[in-house]
Amino acid sequence: MAERSFVEEVKKLRQGAGETFRGEGILAVTKALLESGVAYVAGYQGAPISHLMDVLADAQDILGEYGIRFENSASEATAAATLAASVNYPLRGAVTFKATVGTNVASDALANLASGGVTGGALIIVGEDYGEGSSIMQERSHAFAMKSQMWLLDPRPNLPSIVNAVKQGFELSEASNTPVMLQLRIRACHVHGEFITSENRASEFTVADAVNNPKRDVDRIVLPPASFLHEQEKVRHRWPAAIKFIQDRGLNEFFSEKKDEIGIVVQGGSYNTLIRILERLGLSDVYGKSRIPLYCMNVAYPVVDAEVRRFCEGKRAVLMIEEGQPNFIEKNIAAILRQSGSNTALHGKDMLPMAGEYSAAEMLKGVRTFLEKNGRLQPKPPPPATPKVIPLQPLSASVSPRPPGFCTGCPERPIFTAMKLVERELGPHHVSADIGCHLFSILPPFNIGNTTMGYGLGGAGAAALSAPGNHKRSISVMGDGGFWHNGLTSGIANGVFNKSDNLTIIVDNSYTSATGGQDILSSQAQNKSRSTGHAIEAAVRGVGVKWVKTQSSTYDVAGMRDVLRDALTTTEQGPKVLIAQSECMLNKQRREKPQVRKAVAQGRRVVRERFGVDSDTCTGDHSCIRLSGCPSLSIKSNPDPLRKDPVVTVLDSCVGCGLCGEVSHAAVLCPSFYKAQITTHPSRWERLRQRVRNALIGHLQQRDAKARQRYVF
């Protein structure tokens, strides 16, 4: 169950020629694929292109009408290898995945694909996740394009440019027999706009045609001597063909080219920010009519030498705006100008930050510096002297940090609560973490996790830490998504083969939750287009693990604690796997809340459980918060005037998972927690019972108050 449904939006994908399509960037990409006659699409979800996979999943009926095969791939490597269908056949195929982490996983397949080349158009849609909104290591996809000599498109972030990039990407791929990468930044994925549609069309040569008429070409296989010829083919044939196509189709754009003797070169993805900066400086309007010449590189790789020389001809200075480090394009342009004997001064990282996202504020500083140096802006006058200047304090001095954490009611939180309780008994263990929601355990209040090496690599990250003899066992953690992505072979099977004695905890919450709640092999949901319900335990036993236990409810903290202790202390040798199961609370709430709202609206009886804390019983120790960290646990003033420590309170965001009460029991904490049932539209009997209760409690309270008055002096 994905975090968002596009069932209504995908209806727009049926629009015909000449209609106006209005919507989000992700939907525009899907429409462009349909208009391009794509034969197959595959991918693996991950920000910022998770919704592209969700759109494709919701649009399968439409895809089926045009004979398009859609694969929700097991990994990015699986998706990239799918493009093998375009090697020998004139089939257009597209795959998608997240940024450099996805390209890392897919690099083997991509390198082989780029070496042998393609016959049909092959498009790799990469969700570029660079900058402060990112969740991964700060790298760019540009290096992969250069390494394997695949062409990299970086279109201006508006819908017509994005749609054009998809269509031209297929044609560029076919013209140069080279796979093409289409880079979509976060804002490009979610930008809204409109464009004029064309007719959807089916592939003239179908997947069925390819299967029924198989072709093979040994020269396309990466084996000597063909592999040596591939390198020469890239340079002698594919590169010139790509350059010619880029120039003939005008993929890169020139704006106000001859208006001034200075200019700015910008990647397409940064174009909107630059226009905003120039508009603020009075050198452009909001529609892009710039008074400064601009060269917009919608193709980030390869750099077209002739276009660079053309733009720089007669200019005193040019500023290159290239986000991130290394500055590949700036160095390339510097070499072109040097070799051509140009006197144009090239600026870039000397005026802009060496690394990091080029936000509007950062770009404004660099562009202003460039324009001031070249006389297009007057330097800002120094601020007037003031009698007293109060220095600005860093934000961290007055605002507490807010690191990411588990959601309210997350079933993964009790796993780490149990680990902390076991740690009290057995001491700390080395914990190899993994990519996913469970990685939040490295932060307070749990502070669990020593390393993380990649998606599904939690087990592999602890592979070297299996010492002979008596020793503490290391612990590795991976999610069910990571398990099916990579962990079964690289972690579990590797541990069996090498006779590891470590413990692997597989967090089974039924979805790839961190990427948006998509179904996977072990999901319990009935998926009409995918096969689900395959038990992780069966797969683990299938590769030879003997010690396997499944904890069916992670909220049973005492049970989790006991099975963890058993796994870490048993004398049985060999790899141990603990499967900790409970449904992702976000997906559970997405499913149940609409049902509850509907029932309430219809006047039906609805019971909601939530927990609370008795302020008179709470001692203000706050151990429950330290061992849980639930966002619904907070503090409030102590009602007892003789006690100063604030007491714990449960906010209304509580979803009634029961963890706080379980922690109190398992950790032998205070008995101040209580469970309450909130009933909407109660029955007559329930209302009568509640009135009797209220009357009895009121009577007892009055009697208690009178008794206290007797002892007042």
Side-chain angles (χ1 to χ4, degrees), residues 14-37:
R14 298 185 185 276
Q15 289 182 331
E19 296 187 60
T20 300
F21 182 101
R22 294 181 178 88
E24 195 175 5
I26 290 298
L27 282 160
V29 170
T30 311
K31 176 61 174 165
L33 292 174
L34 288 167
E35 293 179 3
S36 299

Side-chain angles (χ1 to χ4, degrees), residues 10 60 63 87 97 145 395 401 403 427 435 442 470 490 493 512 539 592 648 686 695:
V10 297
Q60 285 190 81
L63 298 179
V87 171
F97 39 73
L395 194 62
I435 302 299
I442 68 172
N470 295 324
S490 65
T512 51
E592 293 183 351
V648 174
E686 287 175 318

Side-chain angles (χ1 to χ4, degrees), residues 241-271:
I243 295 296
K244 184 176 187 303
F245 183 93
I246 293 167
Q247 290 181 290
D248 291 348
R249 297 296 182 91
L251 298 190
N252 295 320
E253 298 173 280
F254 296 84
F255 300 99
S256 307
E257 185 179 1
K258 301 297 184 181
K259 274 198 172 183
D260 205 327
E261 56 180 0
I262 64 169
I264 299 176
V265 182
V266 62
Q267 286 182 258
S270 299
Y271 172 84

Side-chain angles (χ1 to χ4, degrees), residues 224-433:
S227 54
F228 306 128
L229 297 175
H230 293 166
E231 183 183 22
Q232 298 299 319
E233 185 180 312
K234 285 180 180 179
V235 176
R236 296 179 180 177
H237 303 291
R238 300 186 204 170
W239 187 296
I243 295 296
K244 184 176 187 303
F245 183 93
I246 293 167
Q247 290 181 290
D248 291 348
R249 297 296 182 91
L251 298 190
N252 295 320
E253 298 173 280
F254 296 84
F255 300 99
S256 307
E257 185 179 1
K258 301 297 184 181
K259 274 198 172 183
D260 205 327
E261 56 180 0
I262 64 169
I264 299 176
V265 182
V266 62
Q267 286 182 258
S270 299
Y271 172 84
N272 284 7
T273 307
L274 174 61
I275 290 299
R276 171 60 176 154
I277 295 308
L278 292 176
E279 189 264 336
R280 286 187 62 185
L281 296 173
L283 296 171
S284 174
D285 63 14
V286 293
Y287 301 105
K289 293 182 180 179
S290 172
R291 289 162 49 191
I292 302 295
L294 305 178
Y295 174 43
C296 181
M297 297 180 66
N298 296 313
V299 182
Y301 182 80
V303 177
V304 182
D305 294 24
E307 291 185 351
V308 171
R309 290 194 294 267
R310 166 188 159 185
F311 182 73
C312 294
E313 185 179 2
K315 289 185 173 58
R316 291 189 292 105
V318 166
L319 175 67
M320 175 69 227
I321 298 178
E322 179 183 7
E323 196 172 52
Q325 174 66 18
N327 49 342
F328 299 118
I329 301 177
E330 182 181 343
K331 290 178 179 178
N332 198 337
I333 291 178
I336 294 170
L337 296 179
R338 172 83 177 185
Q339 291 167 4
S340 65
S342 173
N343 293 322
T344 303
L346 178 64
H347 299 280
K349 296 297 183 184
D350 57 333
M351 296 183 175
L352 288 157
M354 186 65 68
E357 182 180 7
Y358 283 179
S359 63
E362 292 296 335
M363 192 181 291
L364 177 61
K365 296 176 189 175
V367 172
R368 179 184 288 278
T369 301
F370 173 73
L371 296 174
E372 287 177 354
K373 182 174 181 179
N374 288 279
R376 296 303 177 271
L377 285 178
Q378 293 298 319
K380 292 178 68 175
T386 55
K388 183 179 180 181
V389 177
I390 302 175
L392 291 175
Q393 296 295 321
L395 194 62
S396 59
S398 56
V399 179
S400 299
R402 299 181 64 187
F406 297 107
C407 301
T408 301
C410 175
E412 301 186 16
R413 181 180 285 106
I415 299 172
F416 300 104
T417 297
M419 290 176 69
K420 294 299 287 186
L421 295 177
V422 172
E423 187 178 280
R424 289 180 175 182
E425 302 177 35
L426 305 179
H429 290 70
H430 177 90
V431 178
S432 176

Side-chain angles (χ1 to χ4, degrees), residues 61-82:
D61 291 343
I62 300 174
L63 298 179
E65 292 174 12
Y66 294 92
I68 301 170
R69 171 67 178 176
F70 171 57
E71 286 272 335
N72 197 315
S73 306
S75 71
E76 296 87 352
T78 308
T82 305

Side-chain angles (χ1 to χ4, degrees), residues 593-707:
K593 279 187 175 180
Q595 297 172 357
V596 170
R597 286 195 295 267
K598 183 178 179 181
V600 170
Q602 293 174 348
R604 287 185 284 158
R605 177 178 178 273
V606 175
V607 178
R608 179 169 70 94
E609 288 188 346
R610 63 161 295 174
F611 284 73
V613 174
D614 184 349
S615 299
D616 293 329
T617 308
C618 178
T619 63
D621 174 69
H622 305 153
S623 293
C624 52
I625 294 178
R626 293 196 297 273
L627 283 170
S628 167
C630 178
S632 66
L633 285 179
S634 186
I635 57 174
K636 68 177 182 179
S637 299
N638 200 317
D640 188 338
L642 300 179
R643 292 189 294 168
K644 294 182 178 180
D645 293 330
V647 295
V648 174
T649 186
V650 180
L651 304 178
D652 195 47
S653 59
C654 172
V655 295
C657 70
L659 174 59
C660 46
E662 285 288 332
V663 169
S664 297
H665 172 71
V668 195
L669 299 177
C670 67
S672 59
F673 284 91
Y674 63 84
K675 181 168 69 173
Q677 290 185 331
I678 302 172
T679 305
T680 305
H681 301 306
S683 64
R684 291 181 179 178
W685 165 246
E686 287 175 318
R687 289 196 294 269
L688 175 61
R689 186 175 57 186
Q690 187 62 33
R691 282 198 295 268
V692 173
R693 283 176 175 172
N694 291 341
L696 180 59
I697 292 172
H699 171 70
L700 294 174
Q701 287 175 334
Q702 289 175 5
R703 189 185 68 176
D704 183 54
K706 290 179 181 179

